[in-house]
Amino acid sequence: MKALLALLLLLALPALAVEPNERLADPALEARARALSRGLRCLVCRNESIDESHADLAHDVRVLLRERLSAGDSDTAAIRFITDRYGDFVLLDPPLKTSTMVLWMAPPALLVVAFGGVLLAARRRRAPPAPLTAEEQARLATLLKGQE
Amino acid sequence: MSRRLITLLPLAVFLAVAVYFALALRPNRDTQALPSVMIDKPVPAFDLPSLADGPNLSPAAASGEVVVINYFASWCVPCRIEHPVLMALKSQKVTLWGIAYKDKPEESRTFIAQSGDPYARIGVDRDGRTGFDFGVYGVPETYVIDRAGHIRKRFVGPLTPEIAERELVPLVRALAKP
Amino acid sequence: MLIELGHFALILALAVAICQATLPLIGASRRHGGWMAFADMAAMVQFALVGIAFAALMHAYIVSDFTVINVAHNSHTDKPLLYKIAGVWGNHEGSMLLWVLILAFCGAAVAAFGGRLPATLKARVLAVQAMTGTGFLAFILLTSNPFLRTDLPPANGEGLNPVLQDPGLAFHPPFLYLGYVGSSVAFAFAVAALIEGRVDAAWARWVRPWALASWAMLTLGIALGSWWAYYTLGWGGWWFWDPVENASFMPWLLGTALIHSAIVVEKRDALKSWTVLLAIITFALSLVGTFLVRSGVLTSVHAFAVDPARGTFILFLLIAAIGGSLTLYAIRAPAMQAGGLFAPVSREGALVLNNLLLATATATVFLGTLYPLALDLMTGEKISVGPPFFNKTFGPLMVPVLVAMAAGPLMGWKRADLLGALQRLWAAFAIAGLVVLTGLYLTFGGPVMAVFGFGLAAWTAVGALVEWAERVALFRTSAANSFRRARNLPRAAWGTTLAHLGMGITVAGISASAYEREQIDILAIGATMRLGAYDVRLDAMSKENGPNFTADDATISVLKDGAVVAVMHPQRRFFPLQKQTTSQTAIRSSLFADLYLALGEPDGKGGWTVRAYWKPLISWIWSGALVMALGAAVSLSDRRWRVAAAARRGTLGVRA
């Protein structure tokens, strides 16, 4: 249903992302708004930030974000204003918390494991071959005997 | 770790991924479901002009009763599909409030006049600001508010007779009990 | 009639593929020459049959035969011929047919050009290739048949999505599929080697051209897609870390690792089991990509229309192909003999580092793409993983890759002198340092990361040139002697230099995006807005009529210091059939920057929204990719592939 809705919105509004009339007069504030809106997901779209999206709701969020910044909100407060209503789902940069621990920790962990594995393998390969076990000794003996 | 175990690792990882893919393909998985962060939080403050010429609509008007708030718009096709379900809810004595979302009041009025009025009261959210406070994605969306004025449940998309019978009505009845 | 012929040819192709997948395998295990040789003929016939099927569908598109459901849904009589043809693969069914056509083509190519391959290996490779073919032919015939007819043909077709009616996008899928499907050959070689239980230098020498060719195609495909996004979307974005992009990027990353690790197998007989694994997983990622795009598991901007039945089918294919090959790997790989020893600091060591980092990067992209889905399935929690995540995790992983890239080719096999290699790179270091210092000085307070990006780009590119200069002994001997050395330099070495140089060019282009300028305003006719050093003036608006659209055409002059430097025509096109509006951007490219204009909506008072961008070095991103692909092509033309491949298990060709 949502997909259908998003599609209808897309068809109805061929506008392109940030519109001139949305922008703030203060360039510093506008730059902050642009930077923040690049990290916010357009809720009814698929993997688009509100900065890129033409959807109606993305427009609303852009305007609200600018209102909060104009009212003197800090970046965190303005983002908080949106996550309070829509949850962390809107953040394209997933915050570090229990449920995203694996996501954030995996890349460095993988790198460490991979390096460790390679070093271990290299060390093992350079080590002299392990002495034969008693069982292998016996087997060797029988093999040698068989050849004679 | 033996060499054999290491060479089994790729297969194990792949099988785990394949299981995920299989789960993701489950036919009844709702890919669009989005849990609301507003659940169990007090209903946001709002003060909306009435669609009729009545007093403004605000949470205080619930006066300790369970209400179901339904966001709708005349331009929204799924809302028209949902409408008969809302009419049925009305006949079951469920208190429905409508909030006309980003809709011209005269067009909302025409829509209600044509399809029937299931709502006890209707507020006009012309710019969608109240919708934003609720965390509305699109219309229709339906919220169940308990007697203490907390949001207890959100339904995204049109209510079907099944959802209304199995989930919404029982929830409203349960919440209504003192 | 032709359509039924095509349909029938496809069914026959399936039958041939089934035979090709089984008989040669039996022949190879029993050393039965005739049964093995059957694979060659079968591969050719299969290709011919799929070719007939594809031609039949294309014919239906060209003549607009709307009794064919697929044509009716995706074509229209008014569509230009190019897009009628491109429409064949602009939809799910047709694109799968193209997939299978390329798969069959690769099989036929192995049969035709693999004359020197040992008979058993060749038979097994073709059999594995046919197994993949069987799976996908069955997939098409059972779930995605493009040859179905309707009794009630519409008067005209529904047309192709206007967004897809674009030359860039018309050729994006074929390249991408050549890349995806090309990796099936390396996969087939890997599985065949596992069945044979033997991986050696000769094996690597057969696999590498295939891996290289498919990597080059994938590079072009991805670059084409990115370039298309750039000029279509109206604000110049070119990469979004969208799941579908990631689906093509993952096999590219791992394919890059594969073409490097195969060098180690070829030259040093080491990393064998790892290389086989890479070949399997590279193709696995191509299949996973296909699955993700077509099953609706992930939602994305450019996903095809989804159907769970298709998803289930591809999942089964995936489990059969990948699960099967990885099981075989788990059984056979432990027995593989590790080959040549090497010190950590050596050419091999550098290539291992490259592989480690690229594999980790691939895993990171994989995780970032699938984590939201996994979390949703486990806990119901919804999160988004967007560009900021990938920039923070993938970005840092690429830094050591680029740093090592310049040094690697300068290091000797077995044991290298790192200090010596770095000393020879003094020029690269000096230039990179100069770039960073100049950059920091010029753009003080500006984007620091971008400056270091330029430094890395300079390091990579100059490093590639230094390595080339070393090989031809530039400035250390007479010019004539250097020229002679350059002529005698193996093509593969030229290829390395070009590919690494291309990477440096792309990195420079990416870094430069931090300096782009943007101006968005409503302009009335005659009004001007400022864009960096330029003035952008809307001169006139006019209406134009295209074959299947109408357009608002803007005449916009771009001025610098009062003089007109460009007159550009961005358009807004309206496609009445689909009731869809698209934005046709106007771009003026030069070596150092692009001027980019997009026309927005009218404000109803005579003004038009105009978006203007100045994008420095942006075209370097795709030029770099082109140079990389060119490097691969040059490398492929190396006659050593053909000559040396003759000597199976013979001496390792002496390095020039």
Side-chain angles (χ1 to χ4, degrees):
Chain A
M1 214 65 242
K2 272 277 136 54
L4 183 76
L5 218 74
L7 199 71
L8 286 173
L9 285 170
L10 278 175
L11 292 179
L13 296 158
L16 296 156
V18 188
E19 289 295 316
N21 54 14
E22 292 171 5
R23 283 178 311 170
L24 299 173
D26 179 355
L29 219 51
E30 174 64 18
R32 269 174 64 200
R34 290 301 296 278
L36 288 182
S37 59
R38 282 194 190 103
L40 290 173
R41 182 193 183 113
C42 160
L43 294 156
V44 293
C45 317
R46 299 166 159 191
N47 303 302
E48 267 186 307
S49 78
I50 57 166
D51 195 55
E52 302 154 15
S53 172
H54 347 129
D56 205 17
L57 191 55
H59 163 83
D60 288 358
V61 179
R62 285 198 296 268
V63 171
L64 276 165
L65 181 69
R66 281 166 174 77
E67 271 182 27
R68 300 308 305 178
L69 292 177
S70 304
D73 270 15
S74 68
D75 288 0
T76 14
I79 293 290
R80 183 72 198 276
F81 179 76
I82 296 162
T83 52
D84 273 351
R85 286 156 180 77
Y86 288 93
D88 285 345
F89 182 64
V90 297
L91 301 175
L92 285 172
D93 193 359
L96 185 63
K97 51 183 179 180
T98 353
S99 59
T100 58
M101 201 61 93
V102 175
L103 177 69
W104 282 107
M105 290 303 144
L110 276 173
L111 201 60
V112 169
V113 168
F115 263 101
V118 166
L119 286 182
L120 215 70
R123 178 165 298 180
R124 192 187 292 179
R125 283 188 52 190
R126 244 180 307 162
L132 296 180
T133 59
E135 195 182 324
E136 284 167 334
Q137 293 275 17
R139 206 169 126 68
L140 183 69
T142 50
L143 278 174
L144 286 172
K145 215 174 270 171
Q147 277 200 333
E148 278 160 15
Chain B
M1 249 196 305
S2 85
R3 203 170 147 75
R4 183 159 288 277
L5 273 180
I6 294 175
T7 53
L8 267 170
L9 199 62
L11 182 64
V13 171
F14 169 75
L15 289 179
V17 172
V19 167
Y20 267 122
F21 286 166
L23 285 177
L25 279 176
R26 270 202 332 271
N28 51 2
R29 190 174 82 90
D30 184 2
T31 48
Q32 309 292 346
L34 277 167
S36 169
V37 286
M38 301 299 290
I39 301 299
D40 294 335
K41 292 202 180 125
V43 70
F46 58 86
D47 189 28
L48 297 171
S50 168
L51 188 68
D53 293 325
N56 278 10
L57 183 66
S58 71
S63 55
E65 288 305 310
V66 176
V67 284
V68 174
I69 297 180
N70 175 254
Y71 278 86
F72 74 99
S74 65
W75 47 262
C76 141
V77 182
C79 297
R80 291 175 189 263
I81 300 167
E82 177 188 59
H83 207 76
V85 181
L86 298 179
M87 297 303 287
L89 284 176
K90 184 191 182 187
S91 66
Q92 289 175 279
K93 302 278 182 282
V94 172
T95 312
L96 272 173
W97 287 2
I99 295 184
Y101 180 75
K102 290 192 178 180
D103 199 12
K104 292 196 181 102
E106 58 272 23
E107 288 178 8
S108 309
R109 271 186 218 111
T110 317
F111 172 54
I112 294 296
Q114 282 170 353
S115 335
D117 185 358
Y119 305 112
R121 320 193 47 174
I122 304 176
V124 177
D125 184 19
R126 190 71 189 85
D127 57 5
R129 198 56 64 97
T130 302
F132 186 85
D133 285 337
F134 271 77
V136 166
Y137 281 72
V139 274
E141 276 188 26
T142 309
Y143 294 80
V144 179
I145 319 291
D146 69 13
R147 293 159 43 123
H150 288 68
I151 296 179
R152 297 300 287 267
K153 178 88 181 158
R154 167 171 77 168
F155 297 91
V156 176
L159 291 171
T160 60
E162 295 78 43
I163 296 176
E165 277 317 304
R166 280 197 215 124
E167 296 184 45
L168 194 141
V169 174
L171 178 66
V172 170
R173 297 276 182 262
L175 291 175
K177 285 185 191 130
Chain C
M1 192 55 222
L2 267 176
I3 276 295
E4 280 69 32
L5 187 70
H7 194 171
F8 183 60
L10 204 65
I11 295 170
L12 276 183
L14 174 63
V16 171
I18 292 172
C19 298
Q20 188 190 332
T22 45
L23 296 184
L25 272 188
I26 302 168
S29 70
R30 298 198 181 151
R31 298 289 185 276
H32 191 297
W35 286 31
M36 287 196 272
F38 170 75
D40 288 357
M41 195 188 62
M44 306 277 193
V45 171
Q46 194 197 333
F47 174 52
L49 287 170
V50 180
I52 291 170
F54 192 81
L57 185 62
M58 187 178 275
H59 178 262
Y61 267 85
I62 293 172
V63 301
S64 295
D65 179 356
F66 297 126
T67 60
V68 181
I69 297 173
N70 188 256
V71 180
H73 279 320
N74 298 293
S75 199
H76 192 273
T77 43
D78 289 346
K79 218 164 55 167
L81 180 64
L82 171 69
Y83 302 125
K84 281 183 184 165
I85 294 173
V88 176
W89 55 77
N91 61 86
H92 166 76
E93 290 83 359
S95 67
M96 283 319 297
L97 194 59
L98 179 65
W99 222 98
V100 174
L101 178 71
I102 296 171
L103 194 69
F105 166 75
C106 290
V110 172
F113 302 117
R116 293 198 176 96
L117 281 168
T120 55
L121 183 67
K122 189 178 177 190
R124 284 171 172 145
V125 167
L126 288 174
V128 176
Q129 188 77 3
M131 288 179 197
T132 318
T134 304
F136 278 95
L137 283 167
F139 175 64
I140 293 179
L141 287 168
L142 295 177
T143 74
S144 321
N145 195 333
F147 296 111
L148 299 180
R149 295 228 197 221
T150 167
D151 292 333
L152 302 161
N156 213 326
E158 292 165 23
L160 180 68
N161 185 343
V163 177
L164 301 181
Q165 297 189 31
D166 175 279
L169 211 61
F171 296 106
H172 164 64
F175 277 113
L176 215 53
Y177 294 164
L178 276 167
Y180 279 162
V181 183
S183 67
S184 73
V185 181
F187 168 79
F189 267 98
V191 174
L194 286 173
I195 298 173
E196 298 236 307
R198 195 169 61 189
V199 174
D200 53 23
W203 177 85
R205 203 165 293 155
W206 282 306
V207 169
R208 214 149 77 80
W210 283 103
L212 207 52
S214 73
W215 177 86
M217 291 302 160
L218 201 51
T219 307
L220 289 178
I222 293 172
L224 214 51
S226 151
W227 182 53
W228 169 81
Y230 167 70
Y231 68 70
T232 318
L233 294 185
W235 53 277
W238 49 272
W239 191 259
F240 309 91
W241 295 107
D242 178 86
V244 173
E245 285 173 331
N246 292 349
S248 63
F249 193 46
M250 288 187 280
W252 185 85
L253 282 171
L254 220 57
T256 311
L258 175 63
I259 55 182
H260 288 89
S261 77
I263 302 177
V264 183
V265 181
E266 185 188 333
K267 304 286 185 207
R268 298 279 307 128
D269 207 33
L271 298 190
K272 289 190 285 195
S273 103
W274 168 248
T275 303
V276 167
L277 185 62
L278 274 184
I280 293 174
I281 301 182
T282 302
F283 183 58
L285 286 173
S286 297
L287 287 183
V288 167
T290 308
F291 170 74
L292 292 180
V293 176
R294 291 160 201 272
S295 66
V297 162
L298 290 182
T299 50
S300 154
V301 195
H302 7 27
F304 279 91
V306 294
D307 175 350
R310 291 171 184 165
T312 313
F313 200 111
I314 304 183
L315 184 59
F316 276 112
L317 279 184
L318 209 70
I319 291 169
I322 307 311
S325 54
L326 288 177
T327 307
L328 193 61
Y329 177 81
I331 296 168
R332 286 296 172 90
M336 265 180 214
Q337 287 297 315
L341 293 174
F342 54 87
V345 178
S346 62
R347 175 85 68 92
E348 296 95 317
L351 289 168
V352 168
L353 180 70
N354 150 308
N355 271 230
L356 274 187
L357 292 166
L358 286 173
T360 310
T362 311
T364 303
V365 176
F366 187 81
L367 199 68
T369 310
L370 289 171
Y371 197 83
L373 172 72
L375 190 65
D376 182 19
L377 287 173
M378 278 199 296
T379 68
E381 188 181 344
K382 301 263 182 181
I383 60 161
S384 301
V385 177
F389 169 81
F390 293 103
N391 293 342
K392 282 181 195 168
T393 53
F394 181 82
L397 280 170
M398 284 303 107
V399 174
V401 170
L402 294 171
V403 170
M405 207 164 122
L410 283 167
M411 295 175 38
W413 294 102
K414 288 190 189 179
R415 181 181 297 277
D417 174 14
L418 182 61
L419 209 62
L422 290 180
Q423 272 170 0
R424 283 182 288 168
L425 279 169
W426 66 268
F429 191 78
I431 292 176
L434 200 68
V435 164
V436 170
L437 289 178
T438 318
L440 286 178
Y441 176 74
L442 285 179
T443 62
F444 184 72
V448 180
M449 293 304 278
V451 172
F452 282 100
F454 278 126
L456 268 176
W459 165 259
T460 312
V462 179
L465 294 175
V466 164
E467 196 258 342
W468 176 82
E470 281 276 325
R471 281 171 171 273
V472 303
L474 197 67
F475 305 132
R476 284 200 319 231
T477 172
S478 69
N481 197 19
S482 282
F483 184 70
R484 193 182 50 75
R485 275 169 163 264
R487 280 195 49 186
N488 291 336
L489 203 59
R491 296 262 178 89
W494 280 98
T496 306
T497 305
L498 278 174
H500 286 192
L501 186 66
M503 193 69 208
I505 295 171
T506 295
V507 172
I510 294 171
S511 306
S513 57
Y515 299 97
E516 72 167 44
R517 294 292 179 86
E518 174 195 70
Q519 192 58 262
I520 307 167
D521 224 330
I522 297 173
L523 294 182
I525 307 286
T528 301
M529 67 181 179
R530 190 87 183 148
L531 171 73
Y534 297 94
D535 285 309
V536 176
R537 188 179 68 206
L538 178 63
D539 290 335
M541 291 296 306
S542 62
K543 287 268 181 204
E544 302 226 334
N545 287 313
N548 51 353
F549 60 87
T550 59
D552 290 309
D553 178 284
T555 305
I556 294 179
S557 296
V558 181
L559 303 91
K560 192 172 190 182
D561 303 327
V564 175
V565 292
V567 179
M568 296 161 70
H569 291 271
Q571 290 185 340
R572 273 163 63 82
R573 290 182 177 173
F574 179 66
F575 290 78
L577 191 62
Q578 291 89 353
K579 297 193 173 50
Q580 211 169 326
T581 306
T582 66
S583 170
Q584 191 74 13
T585 57
I587 301 171
R588 193 186 155 88
S589 271
S590 72
L591 183 56
F592 292 109
D594 278 15
L595 281 168
Y596 184 111
L597 297 180
L599 186 64
E601 282 178 287
D603 69 349
K605 293 173 284 189
W608 290 78
T609 300
V610 177
R611 286 154 199 281
Y613 299 85
W614 177 75
K615 294 180 176 278
L617 305 191
I618 186 99
S619 55
W620 289 29
I621 296 173
W622 308 291
S623 315
L626 212 60
V627 174
M628 282 186 243
L630 187 69
V634 169
S635 189
L636 278 171
S637 69
D638 198 315
R639 58 188 292 274
R640 286 188 304 170
W641 296 124
R642 300 189 290 274
V643 176
R648 163 91 173 170
R649 293 173 69 72
T651 52
L652 307 178
V654 181
R655 276 183 66 79

